[in-house]
Structures are given as C-alpha cells and as structure tokens.
Amino acid sequence: MIDAYTVFGSHVRRHARITPDELPPEAVWIDLRNPTREEEHAIESLCGIEVPTREEMREIEVSSRLYSEDGGDFMTASLVYGLDEGRPDFGPVTFILVGQRLITLRYTEPRSFQIFSNKLCRGEGGDAAAAQTLASLELYGPPPAPPKPSRTRGATADSIAIGLLETVVDRVADLLESIAADLDRIGADIFRSSGDNTPTATSDFKELLQRLGAAGDLSSRTRESLATLDRLLPFLQFVLDRRKPQKELKMRVKAMARDVASLNDFVSFLSNKTTFLLDTTVGMISIEQNAIIKIFSVAAVGFMPPTLVASIYGMNFVHMPELNWDFGYPLAILLMVLTAVFPLLYFRYKKWL
C-alpha cells in the first residue's frame, strides 16, 4: 500500500492508497505499508535505490540499520505499536532519504505515523484546501504567482523526516507517562492490600503480577525502541551535515537527542520501580504463605497435648484407677481442654500469634 504526499505552495496533499502507476513523481514523502513486490519495484525505479527486505530490516547490527547506498541514506528504528488494541508490540521501520524525497517502509501501524500525517495535512489547509485550489485552477486558470514560501514553512523531505521522528519521540514519552501512572496505581493497590487485616486473595496477587509483568514488558520494549532511536539520531545528524539543510533542522535533531537521553533515564527509573514493586508483591505473597503455615503449626501444637492425654487414657491396661472414678471422664476432658488452651495463651503472651 502506498501513500504519497506532495507539496502545493504552503499546503501538503495526501494521495492515499494509490497504485504504482498513480505515484506522483513530485512526491516529497512516500509511505510504504506492507508493500507488494510491484510497489517496491516502482519505488526502486523512481528513486534508483534498492528497497530493503523485511528480513534485512530485522537485522540488529548497526551497519545493517544505518548506512548509505546508491545515493540514499537508510535508517531503521524499532517502534512500538498496537497500544490502542491492547496488544503492544514493536517492529522495524525504515526511513530513507534519497534526493528530495523521504521514503518510509513499514509492516506495522505505529500510531505516530497517523498522528503526524493528520497534522501535516491539516496544519495549513490539508487535502481539502489543496483540492479546492486545484479546482479553481481548472475553472479560472492559474492565479498570479505567489511569493516563494520560506523553507521554514515549506515541507521538505528533511523537515518531514525530523517532524515524523519528533512525533515518534513524543509518542514514546506519552507511553512512558502511561506506564508510570499504571505503576503508581499498582503500588497503591499493593500497599493498600498490605494494610488490610484480611488476607489477600490469590486471584488479587495474580492480577497484580500480571499487571506488573505487562508494565515491565512494555517498558523493556520501549527501552529497546529508544536504543534504536539513540543510535539513529547521530547518523541523521551526519546525514544532515552532508545534505546542508536549514540550521533549525539540525537544532531540532540535537533537541530530540537530548529528549531521547532523558527518556532513557526515565525508563531506567521505571524498570527499577517495576523491580521494586515485583519484589514487594513477592514478599507479600511470602508473608501470606507464612501466615497460613503459622496457623497450621499453631493448630498442630495446640492439639498435641490433648492428643497425648486421649492416647494415655485410651490404653488398654487392666490397672488404670482413673477409669473407675466417677469423675474420671470429666477430669480427662478438663485436662485436654487445659492442655489445649495453655499453649495458645503462651503463644499469645510471646506475641507469636
């Protein structure tokens, strides 16, 4: 599937779900989603590059993710997706800067792409304004040439790539904020349950462990995504030094690198907090188990003396004078009760219960 973006004055128009024959040669951004071999061949013919395969995008070596070839600069990062569906995962996305075009190649649906695409086309008129302008051209002919827009307003391949990466970083920051909020709620649930006098149910502990596992898994995936972005940004800075764009774009890349570094520190904090909460939960499970074992131990010790008394008087000896007493049976019952109550009182005195 191909989405192409063209610049018309200060507006950006999106050509959604087009065929290779409909691909506009003036497109500044071409977004390939799950491309067919025919679509890949069309991009290769238009740009004079070789589109990496899905297997090549999954390579973890830096030399396979960040390289220049055939006049194009290839940068691959792993981005998180599937959060809205409740099944978070991450997959590689390749950014290719070749000439005055940006080509993105992906087999996933990161939310950041949709957010940036809507922002890019809505920012100064979007599809509707461009279509209305084209219609007026057909009816009334071309208007007088407007002043040439400045490079800060006009969308270029470099500015689109940087804006898209900024949206990705913002999305990662929002994700980390949601993880932090979820961990705060988990911590509150853990310590609230520890303050209750009633024992915590096994299902509650299971739910807490599942929530902690999900948060830990998501933070680890986010850390891996940030690691790929952390390696990508210096390479992008090197590419921009060669392409000589506006100074503002280089400053935005440096600011983005600082943001990624701060997010790496924050995700380390979240990992430590997840480990702390996990250790706390496991410790509480151990305390609950020890309390249950303590109950059985006290019950066993409490019933041992009465059992001893009952065993003695259950012996089948001929000469046992207590068996002939009128008050022998009540005495044996009283003795068993006393021997059961005394250990419990002693445990209570020692604060073992």
Side-chain angles (χ1 to χ4, degrees):
M1 186 181 303
I2 301 178
D3 289 344
Y5 298 78
T6 56
V7 178
F8 187 81
S10 60
H11 308 304
V12 176
R13 184 184 181 191
R14 174 171 48 204
H15 308 262
R17 300 175 180 271
I18 60 176
T19 63
D21 296 334
E22 299 171 338
L23 186 62
E26 69 276 11
V28 294
W29 178 22
I30 302 174
D31 186 22
L32 294 175
R33 291 178 293 165
N34 297 301
T36 63
R37 185 58 194 138
E38 179 186 1
E39 292 171 343
E40 292 179 353
H41 183 70
I43 298 300
E44 292 173 347
S45 301
L46 178 65
C47 303
I49 60 172
E50 183 178 352
V51 176
T53 63
R54 193 168 188 174
E55 290 73 21
E56 292 172 342
M57 293 171 60
R58 291 173 176 168
E59 297 289 340
I60 62 174
E61 311 94 277
V62 176
S63 59
S64 298
R65 287 184 166 237
L66 306 171
Y67 62 94
S68 299
E69 182 181 81
D70 297 332
D73 300 298
F74 297 75
M75 298 163 284
T76 301
S78 298
L79 306 183
V80 179
Y81 68 95
L83 297 175
D84 298 334
E85 294 79 10
R87 296 187 299 273
D89 201 351
F90 73 103
V93 177
T94 299
F95 303 82
I96 307 172
L97 284 172
V98 51
Q100 300 303 315
R101 294 189 185 92
L102 168 67
I103 301 171
T104 52
L105 175 63
R106 56 194 174 101
Y107 295 88
T108 58
E109 294 290 340
R111 177 71 174 166
S112 51
F113 274 73
Q114 182 180 354
I115 294 174
F116 179 74
S117 174
N118 294 336
K119 179 181 177 182
L120 182 67
C121 296
R122 187 184 62 240
E124 299 186 16
D127 295 348
Q132 183 178 1
T133 305
L134 289 175
S136 65
L137 286 177
E138 295 176 359
L139 292 176
Y140 306 108
K148 185 177 180 180
S150 63
R151 291 193 63 183
T152 54
R153 293 188 59 192
T156 64
D158 297 334
S159 65
I160 291 175
I162 293 173
L164 183 55
L165 287 172
E166 287 174 338
T167 306
V168 169
V169 174
D170 289 342
R171 181 69 172 167
V172 172
D174 295 339
L175 173 60
L176 292 178
E177 290 173 1
S178 66
I179 295 175
D182 194 20
L183 288 177
D184 289 338
R185 289 190 292 269
I186 293 174
D189 293 341
I190 291 174
F191 295 115
R192 182 171 59 251
S193 62
S194 64
D196 296 338
N197 294 326
T198 58
T200 306
T202 303
S203 58
D204 295 335
F205 279 127
K206 184 177 180 180
E207 180 184 357
L208 288 173
L209 289 175
Q210 288 175 342
R211 292 168 61 188
L212 280 172
D217 179 66
L218 189 54
S219 62
S220 65
R221 293 178 184 274
T222 307
R223 180 193 290 272
E224 184 170 352
S225 178
L226 286 172
T228 60
L229 291 173
D230 197 23
R231 291 191 293 264
L232 183 147
L233 292 177
F235 183 81
L236 177 59
Q237 189 73 43
F238 170 77
V239 170
L240 293 179
D241 290 338
R242 188 177 67 248
R243 293 171 65 89
K244 301 186 183 304
Q246 284 185 325
K247 185 178 179 180
E248 176 197 359
L249 297 182
K250 295 183 180 181
M251 295 176 60
R252 288 167 61 185
V253 174
K254 291 181 180 179
M256 208 183 332
R258 290 193 295 269
D259 291 341
V260 169
S262 64
L263 291 177
N264 270 320
D265 294 337
F266 189 67
V267 77
S268 298
F269 162 74
L270 291 181
S271 299
N272 293 334
K273 187 173 183 178
T274 302
T275 303
F276 165 71
L277 292 176
L278 181 61
D279 293 341
T280 303
T281 304
V282 173
M284 288 184 57
I285 293 175
S286 299
I287 292 174
E288 294 285 349
Q289 290 177 341
N290 291 336
I292 295 173
I293 297 301
K294 182 193 295 184
I295 293 174
F296 284 104
S297 300
V298 170
V301 173
F303 281 105
M304 283 176 61
T307 304
L308 177 62
V309 174
S311 300
I312 292 175
Y313 288 104
M315 298 179 183
N316 294 323
F317 289 106
V318 175
H319 302 287
M320 292 187 71
E322 294 90 344
L323 298 180
N324 297 322
W325 293 354
D326 294 337
F327 53 87
Y329 175 72
L331 179 63
I333 296 296
L334 178 61
L335 184 60
M336 285 189 287
V337 171
L338 291 176
T339 55
V341 171
F342 178 76
L344 295 179
L345 294 177
Y346 182 76
F347 291 161
R348 180 75 67 177
Y349 172 75
K350 287 291 187 178
K351 297 183 179 179
W352 294 345
L353 290 178

